[in-house]
Structures are given as structure tokens and as C-alpha cells.
Amino acid sequence: MKFIEKPGVSDVPLMKALLDDAAAEGHVLPRESHEIYENLRDFLVCRADGGRVAGMVALHIDGADLAEVRSLVVGAAWQGQGIGAMLTRAAVDEARFLGIRRVYALTRIPAFFLRMGFSEIVRLDLPSKVFKDCARCPLLPQCDETAVIIEAARAPWLAVASATTEGTAG
């Protein structure tokens, strides 16, 4: 059984290891342990196999109506099982719950986000504060990431959930 929840401080070493592996492959920006501790409340983890951390994502709030899905990582042993989609849905759902209208990601794997209902946008259409992490990226100034965005209240999985619950009313 797989489930999504907020991590505890005891999860940070494994979260750091997952991020380190993904950063070494060029999938995400590296993060120091202190950054994970400082932003632990931004994170969600997926637990599988008796509670082991199988993946993680952060929802970083940039402002009243904009947040970023970042540090989306799934451990190698759990890839291909839908965990990335579960984590992304949970992050967007959290944004919607908080009243945040739009959620974006900067990614080297845009096809994943496009399948999730995100739309591609021009990076420069995002506020300049979005690029605060870019200063430490090894690919600056030749960024190869694609910007994608979704309206949290219009996420496709909400329509599916709504249709399912409407059919059960009696």
C-alpha cells in the first residue's frame, strides 16, 4: 500500500539521499540538509513497503496565487508505479486547499507534467522571483528546463473525482 503524508525530521536523511541521487542524474537541483529541514513543511512523501519513503515532492509558495512543485523525486526501486503522479496530484491539491490559484514547475521532463494536465508556458512569463534558484544551477545561463503551469481548481483529476461522487449520490 502507498500513501502520501507530511514527513518528519527523521525522514530528512533519506529525503536528502533521494535528492542527491536525482541531482547527480541532473533531474533536480541539489539541496543541502539544512534546506530540507528549514522547508520540511513544504514537503510531502509517499510511503510504500511498510512505511519506507518511496518518493517526495515540495510545494513551495511564491505568493498569494502562485506556488511551485519542486524536488519531485521517486526512488529507483519505485519508479513506474504512479508515485510521481500521486505526489504531483497531492501537491496541487494542497495548493488548491490553501487557496493558491496556479501551480508551476520547471522541469526537464515536460511530458510527465503535460500528461498531468499542466500546460507549457514561457519561463519569462513567471515572476522574476521564480528564478532565485537559477543562480546556483550549473546550467545557467543555458537553461534546458521547460516551464509548465496548471490552474489548481481545474486539475483534470478533480473532474474525475467529481463525476465519481456525483454518480454515487442517492
Side-chain angles (χ1 to χ4, degrees):
M1 178 165 87
K2 299 176 194 94
F3 60 95
I4 307 292
E5 69 177 7
K6 289 289 194 180
V9 293
S10 63
D11 294 315
V12 171
L14 182 52
M15 293 167 67
K16 170 80 167 112
L18 283 172
L19 278 169
D20 287 348
D21 289 347
E25 294 177 14
H27 298 305
V28 296
L29 285 176
R31 303 264 180 224
E32 297 298 327
S33 291
H34 72 88
E35 291 177 277
I36 300 170
Y37 284 113
E38 289 170 359
N39 298 290
L40 192 60
R41 288 177 281 176
D42 287 357
F43 284 94
L44 296 165
V45 294
C46 178
R47 298 203 187 271
D49 295 342
R52 294 176 51 204
V53 175
M56 60 190 278
V57 68
L59 178 71
H60 183 79
I61 300 170
D62 285 330
D65 75 337
L66 186 66
E68 178 186 11
V69 169
R70 61 163 63 170
S71 301
L72 175 61
V73 177
V74 176
W78 294 282
Q79 290 181 5
Q81 298 180 31
I83 291 172
M86 286 174 60
L87 287 162
T88 302
R89 282 192 299 269
V92 172
D93 288 347
E94 182 174 9
R96 184 178 49 82
F97 174 79
L98 293 171
I100 298 169
R101 190 170 58 89
R102 300 174 303 146
V103 179
Y104 72 93
L106 298 173
T107 181
R108 290 189 185 94
I109 311 169
F112 167 80
F113 287 96
L114 296 175
R115 284 192 306 270
M116 296 288 303
F118 285 70
S119 300
E120 190 171 329
I121 60 169
V122 177
R123 274 193 323 257
L124 297 176
D125 288 346
L126 294 169
S128 60
K129 93 179 260 184
V130 167
F131 298 104
K132 64 188 175 300
D133 287 335
C134 296
R136 62 186 183 145
C137 180
L139 295 176
L140 187 70
Q142 271 80 38
C143 179
D144 63 348
E145 291 187 317
T146 300
V148 294
I149 198 162
I150 192 168
E151 295 284 330
R154 295 192 174 127
W157 55 89
L158 296 175
V160 171
S162 177
T164 302
T165 56
E166 287 173 10
T168 61

